[in-house]
Amino acid sequence: HGWQLGEHNIWGKHTNFELAARVPLLIRDPSSPTGKMVNRLVESVDLYPTMAALAGLPAPRDLDGVDLSGFVHNRPNGSRPNKTAVFSEYPRCPIDPSKPWTDLTSCVHTPKSEFSVMGYSVRTEEWRYTIWLHWDGDKLVGDFGQDPVGVELYSHKHDTEADFDAFENMNLADDPAYVHVVSEHYNLALAQWAQSNERTI
């Protein structure tokens, strides 16, 4: 998963694009005789509570993830999580933060306190929204109090996952027809990260 082979002129994994952020999640429970495929929004943080549930153990209450074992055991829809959004983040370390798209310098060997910008990405059924924020190296969080460095919005409305080259090629963030989509996804990002940033501080 997560390896771009020239898409967006990038070789590697270090982006917030679908190809880098999307991870097929496979769960095998020996007590479940048949396999099945479920096309839902899930996150890697869901693994811990799911494994705990499958092992018959209680999960700690302060986990970010949700138990996905209802999908494994074909439980009724009420016991299956139905996430409306999932979240990922990845930084960029351009020399000039006002031009993060022209300098794809990776932050792999950069101390977290020296990141330039952080990309907070929200994926819903039909959209991927990424807001690039100035990085506060003292608090180690993106600064929602400043104007964003950049915003991306890509439609996945007709994405059947058959052709990853067909999507995330046209940024719709500045298109007036999608101002409500940008606003809705900004609020999801704000709720996800601004609150967790406050807990970090």
Side-chain angles (χ1 to χ4, degrees):
H1 81 277
W3 199 262
Q4 293 179 206
L5 301 174
E7 297 88 354
H8 303 102
N9 293 320
I10 297 170
W11 288 85
K13 179 180 173 55
H14 311 292
T15 73
N16 276 311
F17 288 119
E18 187 82 356
L19 278 172
R22 182 179 180 269
V23 179
L25 178 62
L26 305 174
I27 299 174
R28 169 73 169 99
D29 180 2
S31 69
S32 184
T34 59
K36 67 177 196 168
M37 189 168 86
V38 178
N39 194 1
R40 295 282 179 91
L41 294 171
V42 298
E43 300 173 272
S44 297
V45 295
D46 299 331
L47 281 171
Y48 186 153
T50 302
M51 295 300 114
L54 291 172
L57 301 170
R61 294 181 195 180
D62 62 345
L63 292 178
D64 290 329
V66 297
D67 174 10
L68 303 175
S69 64
F71 293 121
V72 177
H73 293 295
N74 289 317
R75 291 191 199 125
N77 284 337
S79 63
R80 299 177 188 175
N82 188 22
K83 291 187 174 190
T84 56
V86 294
F87 307 91
S88 60
E89 59 187 79
Y90 201 82
R92 285 239 177 108
C93 292
I95 295 168
D96 181 356
S98 69
K99 300 176 183 175
W101 329 122
T102 58
D103 179 355
L104 299 178
T105 303
S106 170
C107 298
V108 172
H109 301 291
T110 304
K112 199 170 184 179
S113 61
E114 296 176 21
F115 289 173
S116 302
V117 294
M118 179 60 76
Y120 291 119
S121 194
V122 178
R123 178 65 156 90
T124 57
E125 284 293 334
E126 295 187 353
W127 303 96
R128 176 174 292 282
Y129 166 87
T130 303
I131 183 168
W132 293 94
L133 299 177
H134 293 277
W135 184 249
D136 185 329
D138 293 326
K139 297 178 181 175
L140 302 180
V141 296
D143 188 349
F144 278 91
Q146 291 189 53
D147 288 339
V149 175
V151 177
E152 297 174 83
L153 179 69
Y154 301 106
S155 173
H156 281 267
K157 204 170 264 190
H158 302 290
D159 186 356
T160 63
E161 300 173 4
D163 182 4
F164 286 115
D165 286 335
F167 292 88
E168 298 189 353
N169 293 311
M170 183 177 295
N171 185 356
L172 301 172
D174 291 332
D175 187 326
Y178 300 104
V179 66
H180 66 288
V181 177
V182 169
S183 176
E184 175 186 321
H185 285 73
Y186 171 79
N187 287 330
L188 289 169
L190 190 64
Q192 172 71 13
W193 281 288
Q195 289 177 0
S196 63
N197 289 354
E198 286 172 12
R199 288 196 301 269
T200 303
I201 300 166

PDB file of all heavy atoms in Angstrom, residues 20-49:
ATOM      1  N   ALA A  20      -1.086   7.298  -0.894  1.00  0.00           N
ATOM      2  CA  ALA A  20      -0.211   7.160   0.264  1.00  0.00           C
ATOM      3  C   ALA A  20      -0.991   6.899   1.544  1.00  0.00           C
ATOM      4  O   ALA A  20      -0.525   6.191   2.431  1.00  0.00           O
ATOM      5  CB  ALA A  20       0.645   8.407   0.435  1.00  0.00           C
ATOM      6  N   ALA A  21      -2.179   7.471   1.646  1.00  0.00           N
ATOM      7  CA  ALA A  21      -2.931   7.401   2.901  1.00  0.00           C
ATOM      8  C   ALA A  21      -3.846   6.178   2.995  1.00  0.00           C
ATOM      9  O   ALA A  21      -4.157   5.719   4.088  1.00  0.00           O
ATOM     10  CB  ALA A  21      -3.765   8.670   3.083  1.00  0.00           C
ATOM     11  N   ARG A  22      -4.278   5.655   1.862  1.00  0.00           N
ATOM     12  CA  ARG A  22      -5.230   4.544   1.877  1.00  0.00           C
ATOM     13  C   ARG A  22      -4.505   3.238   2.200  1.00  0.00           C
ATOM     14  O   ARG A  22      -3.526   2.880   1.565  1.00  0.00           O
ATOM     15  CB  ARG A  22      -5.908   4.418   0.525  1.00  0.00           C
ATOM     16  CG  ARG A  22      -6.942   3.326   0.477  1.00  0.00           C
ATOM     17  CD  ARG A  22      -7.587   3.297  -0.900  1.00  0.00           C
ATOM     18  NE  ARG A  22      -8.584   2.262  -0.975  1.00  0.00           N
ATOM     19  CZ  ARG A  22      -8.320   1.019  -1.380  1.00  0.00           C
ATOM     20  NH1 ARG A  22      -7.104   0.679  -1.735  1.00  0.00           N
ATOM     21  NH2 ARG A  22      -9.284   0.120  -1.430  1.00  0.00           N
ATOM     22  N   VAL A  23      -5.027   2.522   3.190  1.00  0.00           N
ATOM     23  CA  VAL A  23      -4.453   1.247   3.592  1.00  0.00           C
ATOM     24  C   VAL A  23      -5.551   0.190   3.569  1.00  0.00           C
ATOM     25  O   VAL A  23      -6.490   0.280   4.354  1.00  0.00           O
ATOM     26  CB  VAL A  23      -3.863   1.327   5.023  1.00  0.00           C
ATOM     27  CG1 VAL A  23      -3.282  -0.014   5.439  1.00  0.00           C
ATOM     28  CG2 VAL A  23      -2.835   2.430   5.127  1.00  0.00           C
ATOM     29  N   PRO A  24      -5.469  -0.794   2.701  1.00  0.00           N
ATOM     30  CA  PRO A  24      -6.440  -1.895   2.786  1.00  0.00           C
ATOM     31  C   PRO A  24      -6.262  -2.612   4.122  1.00  0.00           C
ATOM     32  O   PRO A  24      -5.147  -2.968   4.498  1.00  0.00           O
ATOM     33  CB  PRO A  24      -6.064  -2.805   1.612  1.00  0.00           C
ATOM     34  CG  PRO A  24      -5.256  -1.949   0.699  1.00  0.00           C
ATOM     35  CD  PRO A  24      -4.555  -0.956   1.580  1.00  0.00           C
ATOM     36  N   LEU A  25      -7.335  -2.795   4.843  1.00  0.00           N
ATOM     37  CA  LEU A  25      -7.274  -3.408   6.159  1.00  0.00           C
ATOM     38  C   LEU A  25      -7.766  -4.851   6.062  1.00  0.00           C
ATOM     39  O   LEU A  25      -8.894  -5.102   5.636  1.00  0.00           O
ATOM     40  CB  LEU A  25      -8.148  -2.617   7.144  1.00  0.00           C
ATOM     41  CG  LEU A  25      -8.235  -3.154   8.559  1.00  0.00           C
ATOM     42  CD1 LEU A  25      -6.862  -3.143   9.222  1.00  0.00           C
ATOM     43  CD2 LEU A  25      -9.215  -2.334   9.378  1.00  0.00           C
ATOM     44  N   LEU A  26      -6.911  -5.799   6.442  1.00  0.00           N
ATOM     45  CA  LEU A  26      -7.254  -7.221   6.395  1.00  0.00           C
ATOM     46  C   LEU A  26      -7.281  -7.762   7.812  1.00  0.00           C
ATOM     47  O   LEU A  26      -6.330  -7.577   8.577  1.00  0.00           O
ATOM     48  CB  LEU A  26      -6.225  -8.001   5.574  1.00  0.00           C
ATOM     49  CG  LEU A  26      -5.971  -7.513   4.154  1.00  0.00           C
ATOM     50  CD1 LEU A  26      -4.829  -8.293   3.534  1.00  0.00           C
ATOM     51  CD2 LEU A  26      -7.216  -7.626   3.311  1.00  0.00           C
ATOM     52  N   ILE A  27      -8.372  -8.443   8.162  1.00  0.00           N
ATOM     53  CA  ILE A  27      -8.496  -9.058   9.476  1.00  0.00           C
ATOM     54  C   ILE A  27      -8.874 -10.515   9.273  1.00  0.00           C
ATOM     55  O   ILE A  27      -9.823 -10.819   8.547  1.00  0.00           O
ATOM     56  CB  ILE A  27      -9.584  -8.360  10.328  1.00  0.00           C
ATOM     57  CG1 ILE A  27      -9.226  -6.890  10.542  1.00  0.00           C
ATOM     58  CG2 ILE A  27      -9.766  -9.079  11.658  1.00  0.00           C
ATOM     59  CD1 ILE A  27     -10.307  -6.095  11.244  1.00  0.00           C
ATOM     60  N   ARG A  28      -8.141 -11.415   9.909  1.00  0.00           N
ATOM     61  CA  ARG A  28      -8.441 -12.848   9.825  1.00  0.00           C
ATOM     62  C   ARG A  28      -8.689 -13.363  11.230  1.00  0.00           C
ATOM     63  O   ARG A  28      -7.807 -13.323  12.091  1.00  0.00           O
ATOM     64  CB  ARG A  28      -7.269 -13.587   9.175  1.00  0.00           C
ATOM     65  CG  ARG A  28      -7.347 -15.106   9.266  1.00  0.00           C
ATOM     66  CD  ARG A  28      -8.416 -15.669   8.329  1.00  0.00           C
ATOM     67  NE  ARG A  28      -8.318 -17.105   8.219  1.00  0.00           N
ATOM     68  CZ  ARG A  28      -9.081 -17.951   8.902  1.00  0.00           C
ATOM     69  NH1 ARG A  28      -9.987 -17.498   9.751  1.00  0.00           N
ATOM     70  NH2 ARG A  28      -8.954 -19.246   8.728  1.00  0.00           N
ATOM     71  N   ASP A  29      -9.914 -13.819  11.459  1.00  0.00           N
ATOM     72  CA  ASP A  29     -10.275 -14.395  12.747  1.00  0.00           C
ATOM     73  C   ASP A  29     -10.474 -15.892  12.538  1.00  0.00           C
ATOM     74  O   ASP A  29     -11.360 -16.292  11.785  1.00  0.00           O
ATOM     75  CB  ASP A  29     -11.552 -13.741  13.269  1.00  0.00           C
ATOM     76  CG  ASP A  29     -11.988 -14.303  14.612  1.00  0.00           C
ATOM     77  OD1 ASP A  29     -11.282 -15.182  15.155  1.00  0.00           O
ATOM     78  OD2 ASP A  29     -13.031 -13.875  15.113  1.00  0.00           O
ATOM     79  N   PRO A  30      -9.666 -16.744  13.179  1.00  0.00           N
ATOM     80  CA  PRO A  30      -9.796 -18.189  12.986  1.00  0.00           C
ATOM     81  C   PRO A  30     -11.190 -18.728  13.315  1.00  0.00           C
ATOM     82  O   PRO A  30     -11.586 -19.760  12.789  1.00  0.00           O
ATOM     83  CB  PRO A  30      -8.753 -18.783  13.944  1.00  0.00           C
ATOM     84  CG  PRO A  30      -7.787 -17.684  14.190  1.00  0.00           C
ATOM     85  CD  PRO A  30      -8.567 -16.402  14.070  1.00  0.00           C
ATOM     86  N   SER A  31     -11.955 -18.024  14.156  1.00  0.00           N
ATOM     87  CA  SER A  31     -13.289 -18.513  14.505  1.00  0.00           C
ATOM     88  C   SER A  31     -14.339 -18.153  13.460  1.00  0.00           C
ATOM     89  O   SER A  31     -15.482 -18.587  13.555  1.00  0.00           O
ATOM     90  CB  SER A  31     -13.712 -17.948  15.864  1.00  0.00           C
ATOM     91  OG  SER A  31     -13.954 -16.551  15.769  1.00  0.00           O
ATOM     92  N   SER A  32     -13.955 -17.373  12.464  1.00  0.00           N
ATOM     93  CA  SER A  32     -14.892 -16.992  11.403  1.00  0.00           C
ATOM     94  C   SER A  32     -14.558 -17.813  10.157  1.00  0.00           C
ATOM     95  O   SER A  32     -13.498 -17.633   9.559  1.00  0.00           O
ATOM     96  CB  SER A  32     -14.773 -15.498  11.112  1.00  0.00           C
ATOM     97  OG  SER A  32     -15.721 -15.095  10.167  1.00  0.00           O
ATOM     98  N   PRO A  33     -15.445 -18.715   9.741  1.00  0.00           N
ATOM     99  CA  PRO A  33     -15.106 -19.664   8.682  1.00  0.00           C
ATOM    100  C   PRO A  33     -14.973 -19.065   7.283  1.00  0.00           C
ATOM    101  O   PRO A  33     -14.261 -19.598   6.451  1.00  0.00           O
ATOM    102  CB  PRO A  33     -16.246 -20.679   8.726  1.00  0.00           C
ATOM    103  CG  PRO A  33     -17.393 -19.919   9.313  1.00  0.00           C
ATOM    104  CD  PRO A  33     -16.791 -18.916  10.255  1.00  0.00           C
ATOM    105  N   THR A  34     -15.661 -17.988   7.007  1.00  0.00           N
ATOM    106  CA  THR A  34     -15.625 -17.435   5.649  1.00  0.00           C
ATOM    107  C   THR A  34     -15.123 -15.998   5.667  1.00  0.00           C
ATOM    108  O   THR A  34     -15.284 -15.287   6.652  1.00  0.00           O
ATOM    109  CB  THR A  34     -17.026 -17.454   4.999  1.00  0.00           C
ATOM    110  OG1 THR A  34     -17.909 -16.677   5.808  1.00  0.00           O
ATOM    111  CG2 THR A  34     -17.548 -18.870   4.871  1.00  0.00           C
ATOM    112  N   GLY A  35     -14.535 -15.617   4.566  1.00  0.00           N
ATOM    113  CA  GLY A  35     -14.078 -14.251   4.442  1.00  0.00           C
ATOM    114  C   GLY A  35     -15.081 -13.405   3.685  1.00  0.00           C
ATOM    115  O   GLY A  35     -15.981 -13.919   3.028  1.00  0.00           O
ATOM    116  N   LYS A  36     -14.936 -12.121   3.792  1.00  0.00           N
ATOM    117  CA  LYS A  36     -15.792 -11.211   3.030  1.00  0.00           C
ATOM    118  C   LYS A  36     -15.091  -9.876   2.892  1.00  0.00           C
ATOM    119  O   LYS A  36     -14.153  -9.570   3.635  1.00  0.00           O
ATOM    120  CB  LYS A  36     -17.150 -11.041   3.692  1.00  0.00           C
ATOM    121  CG  LYS A  36     -17.125 -10.330   5.008  1.00  0.00           C
ATOM    122  CD  LYS A  36     -18.528 -10.168   5.527  1.00  0.00           C
ATOM    123  CE  LYS A  36     -18.570  -9.141   6.630  1.00  0.00           C
ATOM    124  NZ  LYS A  36     -19.927  -8.764   6.945  1.00  0.00           N
ATOM    125  N   MET A  37     -15.555  -9.100   1.927  1.00  0.00           N
ATOM    126  CA  MET A  37     -14.982  -7.783   1.714  1.00  0.00           C
ATOM    127  C   MET A  37     -16.028  -6.733   2.065  1.00  0.00           C
ATOM    128  O   MET A  37     -17.185  -6.838   1.668  1.00  0.00           O
ATOM    129  CB  MET A  37     -14.559  -7.617   0.254  1.00  0.00           C
ATOM    130  CG  MET A  37     -13.757  -6.357   0.027  1.00  0.00           C
ATOM    131  SD  MET A  37     -12.965  -6.325  -1.582  1.00  0.00           S
ATOM    132  CE  MET A  37     -14.270  -5.646  -2.574  1.00  0.00           C
ATOM    133  N   VAL A  38     -15.603  -5.745   2.823  1.00  0.00           N
ATOM    134  CA  VAL A  38     -16.477  -4.650   3.223  1.00  0.00           C
ATOM    135  C   VAL A  38     -15.812  -3.356   2.784  1.00  0.00           C
ATOM    136  O   VAL A  38     -14.648  -3.116   3.091  1.00  0.00           O
ATOM    137  CB  VAL A  38     -16.687  -4.636   4.754  1.00  0.00           C
ATOM    138  CG1 VAL A  38     -17.565  -3.468   5.156  1.00  0.00           C
ATOM    139  CG2 VAL A  38     -17.278  -5.949   5.221  1.00  0.00           C
ATOM    140  N   ASN A  39     -16.526  -2.535   2.071  1.00  0.00           N
ATOM    141  CA  ASN A  39     -15.974  -1.271   1.592  1.00  0.00           C
ATOM    142  C   ASN A  39     -16.510  -0.139   2.463  1.00  0.00           C
ATOM    143  O   ASN A  39     -17.534   0.457   2.169  1.00  0.00           O
ATOM    144  CB  ASN A  39     -16.336  -1.059   0.120  1.00  0.00           C
ATOM    145  CG  ASN A  39     -15.520   0.048  -0.508  1.00  0.00           C
ATOM    146  OD1 ASN A  39     -14.670   0.651   0.135  1.00  0.00           O
ATOM    147  ND2 ASN A  39     -15.786   0.327  -1.766  1.00  0.00           N
ATOM    148  N   ARG A  40     -15.805   0.123   3.552  1.00  0.00           N
ATOM    149  CA  ARG A  40     -16.206   1.160   4.499  1.00  0.00           C
ATOM    150  C   ARG A  40     -14.991   1.978   4.898  1.00  0.00           C
ATOM    151  O   ARG A  40     -13.857   1.545   4.766  1.00  0.00           O
ATOM    152  CB  ARG A  40     -16.797   0.543   5.773  1.00  0.00           C
ATOM    153  CG  ARG A  40     -18.081  -0.222   5.577  1.00  0.00           C
ATOM    154  CD  ARG A  40     -19.274   0.710   5.445  1.00  0.00           C
ATOM    155  NE  ARG A  40     -20.505  -0.005   5.245  1.00  0.00           N
ATOM    156  CZ  ARG A  40     -21.308  -0.414   6.202  1.00  0.00           C
ATOM    157  NH1 ARG A  40     -21.006  -0.177   7.454  1.00  0.00           N
ATOM    158  NH2 ARG A  40     -22.413  -1.047   5.924  1.00  0.00           N
ATOM    159  N   LEU A  41     -15.237   3.139   5.443  1.00  0.00           N
ATOM    160  CA  LEU A  41     -14.164   3.968   5.979  1.00  0.00           C
ATOM    161  C   LEU A  41     -13.728   3.414   7.330  1.00  0.00           C
ATOM    162  O   LEU A  41     -14.547   3.288   8.250  1.00  0.00           O
ATOM    163  CB  LEU A  41     -14.638   5.417   6.137  1.00  0.00           C
ATOM    164  CG  LEU A  41     -14.972   6.172   4.855  1.00  0.00           C
ATOM    165  CD1 LEU A  41     -15.644   7.506   5.192  1.00  0.00           C
ATOM    166  CD2 LEU A  41     -13.727   6.402   4.024  1.00  0.00           C
ATOM    167  N   VAL A  42     -12.461   3.053   7.437  1.00  0.00           N
ATOM    168  CA  VAL A  42     -11.879   2.591   8.697  1.00  0.00           C
ATOM    169  C   VAL A  42     -10.498   3.224   8.826  1.00  0.00           C
ATOM    170  O   VAL A  42      -9.966   3.786   7.867  1.00  0.00           O
ATOM    171  CB  VAL A  42     -11.787   1.047   8.763  1.00  0.00           C
ATOM    172  CG1 VAL A  42     -13.166   0.417   8.700  1.00  0.00           C
ATOM    173  CG2 VAL A  42     -10.889   0.502   7.662  1.00  0.00           C
ATOM    174  N   GLU A  43      -9.929   3.120  10.010  1.00  0.00           N
ATOM    175  CA  GLU A  43      -8.608   3.699  10.267  1.00  0.00           C
ATOM    176  C   GLU A  43      -7.726   2.674  10.968  1.00  0.00           C
ATOM    177  O   GLU A  43      -8.223   1.748  11.612  1.00  0.00           O
ATOM    178  CB  GLU A  43      -8.743   4.948  11.144  1.00  0.00           C
ATOM    179  CG  GLU A  43      -9.598   6.041  10.534  1.00  0.00           C
ATOM    180  CD  GLU A  43      -9.851   7.174  11.503  1.00  0.00           C
ATOM    181  OE1 GLU A  43     -10.832   7.105  12.262  1.00  0.00           O
ATOM    182  OE2 GLU A  43      -9.047   8.122  11.505  1.00  0.00           O
ATOM    183  N   SER A  44      -6.434   2.881  10.877  1.00  0.00           N
ATOM    184  CA  SER A  44      -5.502   1.985  11.559  1.00  0.00           C
ATOM    185  C   SER A  44      -5.713   1.994  13.070  1.00  0.00           C
ATOM    186  O   SER A  44      -5.481   0.979  13.734  1.00  0.00           O
ATOM    187  CB  SER A  44      -4.056   2.381  11.236  1.00  0.00           C
ATOM    188  OG  SER A  44      -3.814   2.230   9.855  1.00  0.00           O
ATOM    189  N   VAL A  45      -6.179   3.115  13.626  1.00  0.00           N
ATOM    190  CA  VAL A  45      -6.431   3.175  15.068  1.00  0.00           C
ATOM    191  C   VAL A  45      -7.574   2.256  15.493  1.00  0.00           C
ATOM    192  O   VAL A  45      -7.770   2.014  16.686  1.00  0.00           O
ATOM    193  CB  VAL A  45      -6.708   4.623  15.564  1.00  0.00           C
ATOM    194  CG1 VAL A  45      -5.493   5.505  15.396  1.00  0.00           C
ATOM    195  CG2 VAL A  45      -7.925   5.215  14.870  1.00  0.00           C
ATOM    196  N   ASP A  46      -8.319   1.717  14.520  1.00  0.00           N
ATOM    197  CA  ASP A  46      -9.397   0.783  14.836  1.00  0.00           C
ATOM    198  C   ASP A  46      -8.882  -0.625  15.141  1.00  0.00           C
ATOM    199  O   ASP A  46      -9.631  -1.470  15.640  1.00  0.00           O
ATOM    200  CB  ASP A  46     -10.400   0.710  13.677  1.00  0.00           C
ATOM    201  CG  ASP A  46     -11.064   2.043  13.386  1.00  0.00           C
ATOM    202  OD1 ASP A  46     -11.211   2.854  14.317  1.00  0.00           O
ATOM    203  OD2 ASP A  46     -11.438   2.274  12.217  1.00  0.00           O
ATOM    204  N   LEU A  47      -7.619  -0.892  14.822  1.00  0.00           N
ATOM    205  CA  LEU A  47      -7.080  -2.238  15.020  1.00  0.00           C
ATOM    206  C   LEU A  47      -7.051  -2.656  16.489  1.00  0.00           C
ATOM    207  O   LEU A  47      -7.437  -3.769  16.828  1.00  0.00           O
ATOM    208  CB  LEU A  47      -5.679  -2.338  14.420  1.00  0.00           C
ATOM    209  CG  LEU A  47      -5.644  -2.507  12.913  1.00  0.00           C
ATOM    210  CD1 LEU A  47      -4.219  -2.374  12.387  1.00  0.00           C
ATOM    211  CD2 LEU A  47      -6.244  -3.838  12.500  1.00  0.00           C
ATOM    212  N   TYR A  48      -6.583  -1.782  17.363  1.00  0.00           N
ATOM    213  CA  TYR A  48      -6.470  -2.147  18.781  1.00  0.00           C
ATOM    214  C   TYR A  48      -7.825  -2.549  19.378  1.00  0.00           C
ATOM    215  O   TYR A  48      -7.965  -3.657  19.922  1.00  0.00           O
ATOM    216  CB  TYR A  48      -5.826  -1.009  19.557  1.00  0.00           C
ATOM    217  CG  TYR A  48      -5.508  -1.301  21.019  1.00  0.00           C
ATOM    218  CD1 TYR A  48      -4.475  -0.643  21.655  1.00  0.00           C
ATOM    219  CD2 TYR A  48      -6.235  -2.203  21.770  1.00  0.00           C
ATOM    220  CE1 TYR A  48      -4.174  -0.888  22.988  1.00  0.00           C
ATOM    221  CE2 TYR A  48      -5.945  -2.455  23.093  1.00  0.00           C
ATOM    222  CZ  TYR A  48      -4.920  -1.791  23.691  1.00  0.00           C
ATOM    223  OH  TYR A  48      -4.626  -2.042  25.017  1.00  0.00           O
ATOM    224  N   PRO A  49      -8.858  -1.680  19.297  1.00  0.00           N
ATOM    225  CA  PRO A  49     -10.127  -2.091  19.895  1.00  0.00           C
ATOM    226  C   PRO A  49     -10.734  -3.316  19.213  1.00  0.00           C
ATOM    227  O   PRO A  49     -11.413  -4.121  19.857  1.00  0.00           O
ATOM    228  CB  PRO A  49     -11.027  -0.859  19.742  1.00  0.00           C
ATOM    229  CG  PRO A  49     -10.346   0.031  18.783  1.00  0.00           C
ATOM    230  CD  PRO A  49      -8.899  -0.303  18.802  1.00  0.00           C
TER     231      PRO A  49
END
